[in-house]
Amino acid sequence: MDSIDLINPATGGVLRDVPLNGVVETDAAIERAQRAFESWRKIAPGDRARLLRRFAAVVDEHVEELARLEVRNAGHTISNARWEAGNVRDVLDYYAAAPERLAGRQIPVAGGIDLTFHEPLGVVGIIVPWNFPMPIAGWGFAPALAAGNTVVLKPAELTPLTALRLGELALEAGLPEGVFTVLPGRGDVVGQRFVTHPGVRKVCFTGSTRVGKSIMAGCADQVKRVTLELGGKNANIVFADADLERAAASAPGGVFDNAGQDCCARSRLLVQDTVYDRFLALLEPAVKAFRVEDPQLDTAEMGPLISAAHREKVASYTAEGEVAFTGAAPGSDGWWFPPTVLLAHSARDRHWREEVFGPVISVLPFHEEDEAVQLANDTEYGLSGSIWTRDLGRALRVSRGVDTGNLSVNSHSSVRYWTPFGGMKQSGFGRELGPDAVLGFTDVKNVFISTES
């Protein structure tokens, strides 16, 4: 079995090595999950709910441990990592209510009674990215388990440590063997086997649009369910009537959080031309004040990029763009990159069109509301975005006009576990989180009972 050395992105030092599973180990894990499914689906809804609540409680007992692990493995700031571990707990608690509320319907028909049931699918394969290893895992496995499915989860090669620990905590909480399995490995080995193995009935993938298209094509061969959350190139639209001080102060956090390694990052900043110069003057001190430092510090607002190779990719965009100003970053070992603001000269600029996935904002002025909507929609992506205005009518018009799955007005919020999350266009399809996500892990079965003599 091969292995991979895990690197601390803040120091460049080796943390430990992790074995990478192959096809044989993946098939064995899927087969164990298939066997476990037959008993897991039959557990009484109240008992399954209690096990999920117990899992949430055990995660809560280990929030600080999980957070510290994520800081070392992924370079997340400690404040972010604590939120991420807490989000796993909260999502488990939220979906622990689902087993006892997964109700079908009685539909009026002639000559009998018609009933519907939500039946679990079977084994669900979840493929998790490196940028948010803990919460994205929880968004998949919590509703899948609540619906009565079993789960095999493949963490990203670079950031498997918190997923492995969650797998241990699931067993500690009392989930039966085979119900929730964490399987580190390469995407083109373990992830691909989720796609091709007939025992996996659904694949949830978060990652690049390119890989998502390949997974979708593979799943089509078996008419296999798939949920895709893919790339984003999100607009932050600032109108002249907005609270400019607040919009400028919050803009860095909307894109530099997690060092910009976020599909929801508002990396295209559209500013109405009449306040463009003033807004840039307000934005510069906010960018320069953004604290990029050791992610173990409570004061850190941004940590390093995930790897040296990714840092080179991000740098390729800033090298060819016009830099307006930058923030500061440590000059020590590790994959550090300063927060950077680029001026876009047209909507054809590469840094404006492509997902940089780093701490880089591209700024472009617009004149009228219709132009702002057109520029926001001039992208293959449609995941998230923000609108800043004091005009409620404009907020509603622009929200309906922008083709994206999640929008915030006068904020940069994208994710709440009790509301739906997902993309349009090439940002994917299907919805995670919210009250209906659990239904995506079920089949609707219709049963007619004749009452005629």
Side-chain angles (χ1 to χ4, degrees):
M1 185 183 294
D2 293 334
S3 65
I4 186 172
D5 286 336
L6 303 182
I7 307 298
N8 184 332
T11 67
V14 176
L15 288 172
R16 53 171 282 196
D17 70 316
V18 170
L20 298 176
N21 292 277
V23 172
V24 172
E25 293 84 9
T26 304
D27 284 354
I30 293 169
E31 287 157 15
R32 287 194 299 273
Q34 286 180 290
R35 292 192 296 271
F37 171 66
E38 295 307 319
S39 55
W40 179 247
R41 69 181 303 185
K42 295 175 184 175
I43 291 177
D47 292 334
R48 194 185 312 140
R50 274 188 287 275
L51 282 168
L52 292 177
R53 285 195 294 271
R54 174 60 185 153
F55 190 4
V58 173
V59 170
D60 188 48
E61 294 165 3
H62 293 82
V63 162
E64 188 67 17
E65 175 198 345
L66 288 164
R68 295 286 174 185
L69 198 58
E70 202 70 288
V71 170
R72 296 193 299 273
N73 192 185
H76 291 194
T77 63
I78 185 61
S79 58
N80 278 9
R82 286 174 180 140
W83 179 90
E84 291 157 15
N87 183 258
V88 175
R89 172 203 60 214
D90 294 343
V91 170
L92 279 166
D93 263 332
Y94 181 78
Y95 288 109
E100 294 169 292
R101 292 164 175 78
L102 197 57
R105 295 185 296 172
Q106 184 269 313
I107 302 172
V109 294
I113 297 171
D114 198 89
L115 306 172
T116 64
F117 299 89
H118 290 285
E119 303 285 9
L121 302 174
V123 179
V124 175
I126 298 175
I127 304 171
V128 177
W130 52 258
N131 60 326
F132 289 105
M134 277 194 287
I136 291 176
W139 302 351
F141 70 68
L145 294 172
N149 303 281
T150 54
V151 169
V152 183
L153 184 146
K154 191 202 87 65
E157 293 96 309
L158 297 178
T159 56
L161 295 184
T162 49
L164 287 166
R165 188 67 180 120
L166 287 169
E168 295 169 352
L169 296 179
L171 293 174
E172 184 180 320
L175 269 67
E177 291 273 358
V179 168
F180 177 47
T181 304
V182 178
L183 205 65
R186 289 168 51 91
D188 58 2
V189 178
V190 177
Q192 182 62 18
R193 192 60 181 133
F194 289 177
V195 173
T196 60
H197 196 297
V200 175
R201 297 311 310 144
K202 178 172 182 174
V203 174
C204 298
F205 172 77
T206 300
S208 72
T209 297
R210 178 185 60 82
V211 176
K213 289 177 180 179
S214 173
I215 288 173
M216 184 176 176
C219 287
D221 187 58
Q222 297 179 18
V223 196
K224 184 177 296 191
R225 304 283 190 86
V226 61
T227 294
L228 301 175
E229 195 269 276
L230 307 175
K233 188 67 176 175
N234 311 290
N236 179 16
I237 307 171
V238 180
F239 287 95
D241 71 322
D243 181 338
L244 297 182
E245 287 76 11
R246 184 176 165 214
S250 68
V255 68
F256 300 149
D257 183 61
N258 199 32
Q261 299 168 132
D262 182 356
C263 295
C264 293
R266 277 76 166 160
S267 57
R268 291 186 301 148
L269 179 54
L270 285 159
V271 183
Q272 198 154 22
D273 52 8
T274 55
V275 295
Y276 179 79
D277 291 337
R278 181 183 169 205
F279 188 85
L280 285 180
L282 292 168
L283 180 63
E284 183 171 5
V287 169
K288 291 182 179 299
F290 208 75
R291 297 183 66 94
V292 184
E293 56 188 1
D294 183 344
Q296 298 179 90
L297 298 174
D298 288 334
T299 54
E301 294 179 285
M302 183 180 126
L305 295 171
I306 189 64
S307 68
H310 188 58
R311 183 174 62 179
E312 290 178 12
K313 174 180 177 287
V314 172
S316 73
Y317 288 93
T318 60
E320 64 183 42
E322 181 183 347
V323 177
F325 43 84
T326 68
S332 56
D333 292 337
W335 320 132
W336 300 96
F337 200 90
T340 302
V341 176
L342 300 179
L343 301 180
H345 296 288
S346 84
R348 295 184 298 275
D349 289 353
R350 188 169 78 99
H351 59 82
W352 177 263
R353 301 203 65 80
E354 296 181 13
E355 186 177 29
V356 178
F357 222 60
V360 178
I361 303 176
S362 300
V363 191
L364 187 69
F366 69 91
H367 185 56
E368 297 290 350
E369 181 180 309
D370 288 347
E371 183 188 7
V373 173
Q374 184 272 324
L375 286 167
N377 287 337
D378 184 21
T379 174
E380 63 188 10
Y381 298 113
L383 184 58
S384 196
S386 295
I387 301 160
W388 291 82
T389 179
R390 287 187 172 99
D391 184 331
L392 178 59
R394 169 178 284 154
L396 291 171
R397 286 193 306 273
V398 176
S399 294
R400 296 300 301 271
V402 175
D403 298 328
T404 193
N406 308 271
L407 277 167
S408 292
V409 176
N410 297 330
S411 88
H412 295 304
S413 172
S414 292
V415 175
R416 294 156 301 277
Y417 59 81
W418 54 95
T419 61
F421 176 76
M424 296 180 179
K425 298 191 284 188
Q426 293 196 37
S427 287
F429 61 84
R431 291 296 180 266
E432 298 172 301
L433 303 175
D436 298 330
V438 70
L439 301 180
F441 294 95
T442 67
D443 273 321
V444 176
K445 179 182 289 181
N446 191 77
V447 177
F448 171 74
I449 303 172
S450 174
T451 57
E452 295 181 351
S453 58

